[in-house]
């Protein structure tokens, strides 16, 4: 893992949302809307971007490395959750969760432009 963040880098307030169970009639789609689980402060580190061709169009994707303090809440995060920047409203799909390498931090790799 890269250098651990300092307290001053925890500038972003983020919310983690988990997809709930469907409340409507079941037509094979068992996933409901996202529901907020908790909010924490996070440090963002850019991991570069990428481009993907989707439906014959070029789409840009931004990949971020995100550090949050390890707690009972943050160790529950899974790769099917979404992260939301509380200030801007930007939504990120959580792709990678590492809560093992450093017991003080949970490292997440999140990206924009993809479905959560």
């Amino acid at each position: 893992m890269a250098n651990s963040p300092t307290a001053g880098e925890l500038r972003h307030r983020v919310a983690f949302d988990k997809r709930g169970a469907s409340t409507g009639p079941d037509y094979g789609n068992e996933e409901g809307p996202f529901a907020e689980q908790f909010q924490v402060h996070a440090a963002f580190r850019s991991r570069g971007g990428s481009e993907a061709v989707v439906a014959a169009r070029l789409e840009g994707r931004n990949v971020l490395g995100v550090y949050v303090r390890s707690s009972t809440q943050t160790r529950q995060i899974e790769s099917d959750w979404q992260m939301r920047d509380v200030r801007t409203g930007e939504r990120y799909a959580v792709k990678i969760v590492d809560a093992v390498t450093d017991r003080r931090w949970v490292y997440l790799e999140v990206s924009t432009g993809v479905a959560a």
Side-chain angles (χ1 to χ4, degrees):
M1 192 182 311
N3 296 340
S4 297
T6 62
E9 288 182 81
L10 299 172
R11 291 185 286 259
H12 303 275
R13 185 81 177 160
V14 295
F16 287 94
D17 305 330
K18 179 180 179 182
R19 193 176 288 276
S22 177
T23 57
D26 186 19
Y27 297 113
N29 184 6
E30 299 167 4
E31 296 181 343
F34 282 102
E36 183 176 314
Q37 301 299 303
F38 56 89
Q39 292 185 9
V40 293
H41 284 92
F44 288 3
R45 293 190 179 164
S46 178
R47 293 289 178 243
S50 66
E51 294 178 337
V53 177
V54 178
R57 286 189 230 158
L58 202 56
E59 290 187 355
R61 295 184 176 161
N62 189 19
V63 179
L64 293 174
V66 178
Y67 289 89
V68 294
R69 290 188 192 276
S70 182
S71 69
T72 55
Q73 289 180 323
T74 58
R75 286 191 300 273
Q76 295 175 18
I77 300 169
E78 296 182 10
S79 59
D80 60 345
W81 288 28
Q82 80 175 5
M83 184 183 83
R84 190 170 27 90
D85 188 327
V86 174
R87 186 177 54 85
T88 65
E90 182 81 33
R91 296 178 188 275
Y92 302 89
V94 176
K95 296 299 176 191
I96 297 173
V97 181
D98 180 5
V100 178
T101 304
D102 186 347
R103 62 187 192 126
R104 296 175 299 156
W105 300 99
V106 174
Y107 172 76
L108 309 164
E109 193 167 288
V110 300
S111 62
T112 59
V114 294

